[in-house]
């Protein structure tokens, strides 16, 4: 399983947590089923948003990335998210990225715009098979999510940036591609290909990554490997809202995990997240936390009771719910019934 990680320029919010708890549940379900799991996650520790935040706050971009990555990992540990098998930053994977881009060059799938290197989507006949969107929708989302569809000189508006030539006052690396830094999508492709290979089981993240990120990652991988598919399944968690809008750093409507876990037990935060089906969009309200704290209290009381119904049938019911499209709310409801039966003696 490959799950796209954070860009570490701000603290972990509940939208992040919902995504990573979702894939932790898949991880745990596989382990419970007796599988050996290879779980890879990246950190996008060099990208425009990180550099912009560093400039705006007068911080060194490396220190900012390191601090926020450490805070993210602390938040995940508090929420009992099992760590990935392999956890890599883009900076430490620079050689992998350069090697992947050089293969694309050998395949004739790249071209220059000024001194920046782009991938030609025409090299992948299966482009569009992940998101299944029309051209207009893709162009609109590309403009919103880090693309540059209106840049003059591109062969196609949707072609993604592979390698950006060095800009003044920005970090850059000396490589066989020249002095610069990588584009966003190729980082995940290179890391996944090295540590999982083609045709792994799950490529995951929030639903806002379906296009362009996961679409582009797959196309790049198809051309580098000359195999298909990149992943057997693309799994996307729903969006968490606040005050009528999706939680996002750009809007500033965030609830941070690090702050929330100082006020309530982290287990209550995890239960509040799992009360929603992973594919659903939903809005965070104080009631979510109130319900989770009440549920946690009822479960804790039941676990410490002198007698309780046997756990075997409950475990079977929980496993059955999770095997049905990861239906965590039904699994929680099964434990609620068990706790209520215990309370009644």
């Amino acid at each position: 399983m490959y799950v796209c990680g954070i860009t570490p320029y701000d603290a972990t919010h509940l939208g992040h947590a919902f995504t990573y708890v979702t894939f932790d549940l898949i991880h745990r379900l596989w382990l419970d089923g007796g599988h050996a799991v290879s779980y890879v996650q990246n950190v996008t520790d060099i990208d425009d948003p990180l550099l912009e935040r560093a400039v705006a706050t007068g911080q060194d971009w490396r220190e900012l990335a390191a601090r926020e990555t450490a805070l993210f990992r602390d938040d995940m540990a508090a929420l009992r998210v099992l760590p990935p098998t392999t956890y890599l930053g883009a900076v430490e994977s620079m050689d992998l990225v350069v090697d992947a881009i050089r293969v694309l060059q050998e395949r004739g799938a790249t071209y220059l715009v000024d001194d920046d290197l782009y991938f030609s989507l025409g090299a992948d006949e299966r482009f569009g098979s992940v998101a299944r969107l029309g051209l207009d929708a893709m162009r609109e989302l590309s403009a919103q999510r880090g693309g540059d569809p209106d840049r003059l000189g591109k062969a196609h508006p949707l072609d993604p940036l592979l390698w950006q030539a060095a800009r003044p006052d920005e970090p850059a690396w000396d490589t066989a591609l020249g002095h610069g830094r990588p584009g966003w999508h190729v980082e995940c492709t290179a890391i996944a290909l090295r540590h999982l290979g083609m045709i792994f089981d799950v490529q995951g993240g929030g639903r806002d990554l379906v296009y362009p990120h996961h679409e582009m990652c797959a196309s790049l991988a198809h051309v580098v490997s000359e195999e298909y598919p990149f992943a057997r399944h693309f799994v996307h968690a729903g969006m968490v809202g606040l005050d009528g809008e999706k939680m996002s750093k750009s809007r500033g409507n965030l609830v941070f995990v690090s702050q929330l876990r100082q006020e309530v037990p982290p287990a209550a935060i995890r239960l509040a997240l799992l009360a929603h089906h992973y594919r659903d969009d939903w809005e965070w309200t104080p009631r979510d936390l109130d319900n989770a704290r009440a549920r946690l209290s009822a479960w804790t009381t039941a676990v410490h009771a002198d007698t309780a119904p046997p756990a075997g049938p409950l475990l079977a019911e929980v496993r059955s719910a999770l095997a049905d499209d990861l239906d965590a709310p039904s699994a929680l409801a099964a434990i609620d019934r068990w706790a209520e039966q215990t309370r009644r003696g």
Side-chain angles (χ1 to χ4, degrees):
M1 174 165 65
Y2 186 97
V3 177
C4 298
I6 59 166
T7 300
Y9 64 94
D10 208 342
T12 315
H13 60 73
L14 286 177
H16 293 137
F18 185 56
T19 294
Y20 297 112
V21 166
T22 290
F23 291 97
D24 183 62
L25 204 55
I26 295 175
H27 190 179
R28 289 175 177 275
L29 186 60
W30 283 349
L31 291 173
D32 182 63
H35 298 289
V37 180
S38 182
Y39 176 9
V40 180
Q41 189 178 129
N42 76 305
V43 183
T44 306
D45 54 0
I46 180 67
D47 200 13
D48 289 341
L50 172 65
L51 299 178
E52 290 165 4
R53 178 61 59 87
V55 170
T57 57
Q59 301 175 78
D60 182 274
W61 66 273
R62 300 173 191 84
E63 294 177 359
L64 174 61
R67 185 180 69 248
E68 296 302 335
T69 299
L71 180 56
F72 168 76
R73 299 190 78 168
D74 287 346
D75 287 338
M76 293 300 101
L79 295 178
R80 297 298 186 264
V81 171
L82 298 175
T85 316
T86 302
Y87 192 64
L88 284 173
V91 171
E92 63 186 306
S93 305
M94 199 64 65
D95 289 345
L96 301 182
V97 173
V98 170
D99 288 346
I101 294 174
R102 294 190 73 184
V103 173
L104 292 171
Q105 288 179 311
E106 293 169 6
R107 302 263 193 270
T110 69
Y111 64 94
L112 286 169
V113 178
D114 299 323
D115 292 324
D116 298 334
L117 191 66
Y118 281 81
F119 172 64
S120 176
L121 290 169
D124 176 30
E125 62 182 14
R126 298 181 185 273
F127 171 70
S129 60
V130 175
R132 302 179 186 275
L133 296 172
L135 181 61
D136 289 345
M138 287 192 287
R139 183 163 183 155
E140 181 178 351
L141 288 174
S142 178
Q144 294 173 6
R145 297 173 178 173
D148 54 359
D150 298 323
R151 182 173 183 178
L152 295 177
K154 290 178 62 174
H156 191 284
L158 302 180
D159 288 346
L161 178 69
L162 292 173
W163 188 261
Q164 176 178 290
R167 304 295 199 260
D169 301 320
E170 288 191 2
W173 286 260
D174 286 315
T175 74
L177 300 171
H179 191 57
R181 60 182 173 92
W184 173 28
H185 313 300
V186 70
E187 297 167 5
C188 284
T189 300
I191 292 171
L193 287 177
R194 172 60 61 90
H195 293 281
L196 295 174
M198 284 293 283
I199 319 178
F200 56 92
D201 292 293
V202 166
Q203 164 87 327
R207 202 183 62 247
D208 54 347
L209 295 184
V210 178
Y211 189 88
H213 189 52
H214 286 175
E215 187 75 67
M216 299 301 182
C217 288
S219 281
L220 292 166
H222 298 160
V223 178
V224 170
S225 69
E226 298 184 313
E227 294 183 64
Y228 175 85
F230 185 40
R232 290 186 175 91
H233 304 282
F234 290 85
V235 180
H236 299 102
M239 299 289 99
V240 181
L242 181 70
D243 300 328
E245 298 280 357
K246 178 180 83 73
M247 280 192 195
S248 69
K249 294 174 182 178
S250 60
R251 291 191 178 95
N253 59 334
L254 304 174
V255 177
F256 293 113
V257 173
S258 55
Q259 295 174 357
L260 201 58
R261 61 186 173 91
Q262 294 177 21
E263 303 168 12
V264 298
I269 303 172
R270 184 177 176 107
L271 285 175
L273 299 171
L274 291 175
H276 301 272
H277 191 271
Y278 80 94
R279 283 189 288 104
D280 290 346
D281 295 338
W282 54 281
E283 183 154 337
W284 175 264
T285 69
R287 180 181 290 274
D288 286 286
L289 206 52
D290 291 342
N291 291 342
R293 295 175 75 171
R295 172 173 267 155
L296 181 61
S297 177
W299 288 13
T300 302
T301 299
V303 165
H304 290 94
D306 293 332
T307 60
L314 171 61
L315 284 172
E317 194 172 353
V318 168
R319 288 175 173 135
S320 177
L322 295 178
D324 181 12
D325 196 23
L326 210 67
D327 189 357
S330 291
L332 300 191
I335 303 174
D336 289 341
R337 291 190 293 272
W338 177 87
E340 178 60 19
Q341 290 167 358
T342 301
R343 187 187 68 80
R344 293 180 177 180

